[in-house]
Structures are given as C-alpha cells and as structure tokens.
C-alpha cells in the first residue's frame, strides 16, 4: 500500500434484525437501538444503529482492504445517527484512502456516509504494514 | 440526575473476567455480517470486539451512578491496541472517568477503559465519550464534541 492509494468503497446494509443480533452479541441492550418510542423520547429521529456497529463495519472494510493486517488504532466520533427504518435497511458506505505509510504503520483516511451524509467524525484506522 | 464533577478521576472496579471464546467471537462477527471459525488458521478477532468488555464496564459505571442507559448516546470511541485480542484471552476492563462537561443540557462524560489480560498486561485501551441527555426533550449533539 502506498500513500494516496484509493481503496474500493464498501457498502453495508443495516436492518432492524441486525440491530437485534448486534445488541445480543455485544451485550448492549440500550432500547434506543430497538424501540422507536424510547429513541424519540431522548430526542433521536428514530431507531438508530449502535455507533459501534457502524465502527465494526469500518473494521470489516479495513480488514478486507489490508488483508487482515494487525490493527493498532481504530476510532471515530459518532457525529450523525444512522437511522434504521422498520422495513428495509440503512446503507452505510465506507470509503478510504491510504493517508500515509511510515515507521511500519499504514494510516487510512476514511469517510463513512449514510445516504450521502457523513456519520462519523475523524474516523481513523492505523494498521501494521 | 446531575452528574457530579467528583466523578472525574474516579476508577471503577474491574469487570468480571471474560474469556474470548469461539462462540462469543463468532456471534460478534456474525452480527457484523461476517463469519469466524477456528478451523485452520482463525481470522483475526474483529478489532471492535473489546467493546464487549468496555461496554460491560460502562454499564457497571452507569448503574453505580444511577444513570439510565437509554439516556446515553455514544459520542466517540477510540481504541489503541498493544496487541490483537486472541482466542483464549481472559479479559477484564477497568473504567476511569477522565472528563466531564455540560453542553446544552447534556453531560459529556469522557471515559477510558483499560482492557487487560489474565496476566494483568494491557491489551488495549478504549476511550469513550458518552453523551448523557438528562432532560427528556434534550437532543444529544455529539457533533459539538471536541474531546
């Protein structure tokens, strides 16, 4: 990988059923990810995906792009909610470029969007070259 | 309830040790739409898997402070890894509150969870910002976050 390389964007669909499975596997029972009324009661636009589900999908993209390279840093701000409809799915697109390669580490610049809106702030992944 | 400034700097008790088993990792991977099995050379444990430990620590912290989980939105999460998580690891998370601010009726709680193995060695650190909307009508805005 070389600085400036563009990585093939990955698109992931998130359904309500995925939220149930993720909640179970991650041990996160927060009802804002399941229950429309609770989500709205705290000012959210609807049922939202777990931020860590979105970041987990970023982790998948990074793994695929780098051939399973060891991740040394992964993180982001959750700046916009990914609203998951009762029927159908929310689509999250993970795009990236190689920002730098130095000292045995590859830093990726990422852009993560849902319906054209950036949902993560300052997403960053660093893997071993 | 108001979240108290005296929280800052407090370390909460370590979570119960949890073994990284094939079943747990496979369920976690499946919930991300991918697969995991230990036949042959197992693929890497998903890098966000340590959230299972960090979330456990967060829930204990919220319970201890009588904060409702449904009023919490995740504002930020950053992991730094000393080494990859491996099958058979027995992990524990120890959460500390590192910062606290109030913005527009929301408490912005900065936490850091040290995730250690059975030998007490650091495996990874998870830094999280939790946005706690105390008032029912408040709209948490993680966008204003600058932590």
């Amino acid at each position: 990988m070389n600085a400036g390389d563009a990585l093939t964007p990955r698109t992931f669909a998130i359904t309500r059923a995925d939220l149930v499975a993720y909640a179970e596997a991650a041990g996160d029972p927060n009802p804002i990810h399941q229950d429309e009324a609770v989500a709205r009661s705290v000012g959210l636009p609807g049922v939202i995906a777990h931020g860590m589900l979105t970041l987990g999908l970023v982790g998948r993209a990074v793994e695929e792009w780098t051939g399973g390279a060891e991740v040394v840093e992964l993180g982001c701000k959750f700046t916009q909610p990914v609203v998951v409809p009762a029927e159908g799915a929310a689509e999250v697109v993970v795009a990236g470029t190689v920002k730098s390669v130095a000292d045995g580490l590859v830093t990726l610049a990422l852009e993560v969007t849902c319906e054209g809106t950036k949902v993560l702030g300052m997403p960053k992944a660093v893997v071993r070259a | 309830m108001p979240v108290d400034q005296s929280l800052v700097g407090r370390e909460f008790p370590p979570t119960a040790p949890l073994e990284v088993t094939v079943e747990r990792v496979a369920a976690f991977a499946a919930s991300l739409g991918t697969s995991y099995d230990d036949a042959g050379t197992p693929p890497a444990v998903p890098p966000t898997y340590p959230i299972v430990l960090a979330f456990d620590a967060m829930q204990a912290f919220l319970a201890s402070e009588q904060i409702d989980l449904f009023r919490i939105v995740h504002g930020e999460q950053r992991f730094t890894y000393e080494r990859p998580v491996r099958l058979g690891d027995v992990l524990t998370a120890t959460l500390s509150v590192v910062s606290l601010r109030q913005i527009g009726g929301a408490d912005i709680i900065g936490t850091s969870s040290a995730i250690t193995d059975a030998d007490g060695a650091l495996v990874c650190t998870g830094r999280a910002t939790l946005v706690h909307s105390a008032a029912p009508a408040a709209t948490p805005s993680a966008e204003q976050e600058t932590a």
Side-chain angles (χ1 to χ4, degrees):
Chain A
M1 293 185 128
N2 298 300
D5 284 358
L7 304 160
T8 307
R10 296 280 286 112
T11 300
F12 301 100
I14 304 175
T15 65
R16 291 276 179 97
D18 293 330
L19 301 186
V20 173
Y22 183 82
E24 176 72 19
D28 182 344
N30 194 332
I32 63 173
H33 307 300
Q34 316 290 345
D35 186 320
E36 196 91 29
V38 174
R40 290 185 186 282
S41 81
V42 292
L44 295 167
V47 166
I48 65 168
H50 306 74
M52 285 305 299
L53 172 50
T54 304
L55 188 60
L57 297 174
V58 172
R60 265 188 72 183
V62 169
E63 182 182 6
E64 290 170 15
W65 287 330
T66 65
E70 181 186 340
V71 177
V72 296
E73 203 180 318
L74 181 65
C76 65
K77 295 184 182 189
F78 303 105
T79 50
Q80 290 293 329
V82 172
V83 179
V84 179
E87 305 291 334
E91 278 202 344
V92 169
V93 180
V94 183
T97 54
V98 178
K99 187 176 178 189
S100 64
V101 181
D103 303 324
L105 298 175
V106 178
T107 300
L108 305 181
L110 304 164
E111 185 172 279
V112 182
T113 55
C114 180
E115 292 181 8
T117 300
K118 280 189 201 180
V119 293
L120 302 186
M122 298 197 295
K124 187 181 180 188
V126 180
V127 303
R128 278 196 209 290
Chain B
M1 58 166 273
V3 177
D4 195 303
Q5 252 331 303
S6 70
L7 271 178
V8 178
R10 267 178 66 195
E11 180 178 292
F12 287 80
T15 58
L18 188 71
E19 183 174 354
V20 180
T21 62
V22 174
E23 291 74 21
R24 289 195 177 103
V25 176
F28 190 85
S31 78
L32 296 175
T34 184
S35 61
Y36 186 92
D37 70 63
D38 61 347
T41 306
V45 172
T48 53
Y49 184 78
I51 197 64
V52 173
L53 287 302
F55 198 88
D56 196 13
M58 183 197 77
Q59 284 200 281
F61 154 63
L62 297 180
S64 139
E65 299 308 306
Q66 297 175 286
I67 299 171
D68 293 322
L69 178 62
F70 76 94
R71 296 197 183 284
I72 293 288
V73 171
H74 212 159
E76 182 167 10
Q77 181 73 45
R78 295 194 182 273
F79 287 109
T80 51
Y81 306 85
E82 306 302 316
R83 67 162 175 85
V85 171
R86 293 188 280 260
L87 285 184
D89 278 339
V90 177
L91 302 176
T92 300
T94 305
L95 180 145
S96 304
V97 176
V98 295
S99 63
L100 177 62
R101 296 179 295 135
Q102 270 87 25
I103 294 180
D107 301 303
I108 315 293
I109 308 166
T111 68
S112 179
S113 292
I115 294 166
T116 51
D117 64 17
D119 297 327
L122 185 65
V123 175
C124 78
T125 303
R127 292 177 185 82
T129 303
L130 311 175
V131 181
H132 171 235
S133 67
T139 301
S141 178
E143 208 168 18
Q144 294 171 8
E145 256 306 88
T146 52

